[in-house]
Amino acid sequence: MSDKERLQLIDFFDSERQKYSELVFSLFENLSLQLDFKLKIQKASIQLIHKTPFAVLGFRKSKNYLFIEFYCNSVIDNSRIVKTNKIGDSLII
């Protein structure tokens, strides 16, 4: 993670989202050891990009949680996945 990305992340985690910052920094640090990816930091979400976006981390206004969407060409079998959407023939969110 570059210094610029780190500063953008700090800015992204305003006072209401600060409790998630350590968790997200740790997630990105561990993931960066396994995969080369770039961060695209937007107003309400952070995209993790490796060729194409493969995960989006974000917050819903007036909700007290963060969400992560995974973009994949196969179903991820994990009990923590709340919802699965199939988009077209090859993309599953």
Side-chain angles (χ1 to χ4, degrees), residues 5 8-14 17 28 38-49 53 55-60 67 69 71:
E5 289 171 334
Q8 287 176 315
L9 281 172
I10 290 169
D11 187 48
F12 180 85
F13 291 107
D14 59 17
R17 300 173 179 167
F28 292 166
K38 295 192 183 301
L39 296 175
K40 183 176 180 182
I41 302 166
Q42 299 179 324
K43 187 174 182 175
S45 67
I46 302 168
Q47 294 183 4
L48 286 74
I49 301 172
V56 174
L57 179 144
F59 297 88
R60 297 286 189 236
F67 70 88
E69 294 178 340
Y71 296 76

Side-chain angles (χ1 to χ4, degrees), residues 2-34:
S2 71
D3 289 339
K4 180 182 176 184
E5 289 171 334
R6 188 174 293 280
L7 290 174
Q8 287 176 315
L9 281 172
I10 290 169
D11 187 48
F12 180 85
F13 291 107
D14 59 17
S15 60
E16 294 177 15
R17 300 173 179 167
Q18 195 62 45
K19 62 185 172 188
Y20 300 105
S21 62
E22 286 186 35
L23 174 68
V24 171
F25 274 106
S26 177
L27 171 69
F28 292 166
E29 291 294 327
N30 288 328
L31 187 57
S32 69
L33 299 174
Q34 301 172 42

Side-chain angles (χ1 to χ4, degrees), residues 2 4 21 28 33 50 53-56 61 65-66 78 89:
S2 71
K4 180 182 176 184
S21 62
F28 292 166
L33 299 174
H50 176 74
F54 67 91
V56 174
K61 289 187 180 203
Y65 61 87
L66 75 133
N78 188 299
D89 292 334

Side-chain angles (χ1 to χ4, degrees), residues 74-91:
S74 61
V75 174
I76 300 170
D77 186 21
N78 188 299
S79 62
R80 297 189 310 177
I81 294 180
V82 177
K83 183 177 177 183
T84 302
N85 292 326
K86 186 169 184 181
I87 309 296
D89 292 334
S90 61
L91 183 62

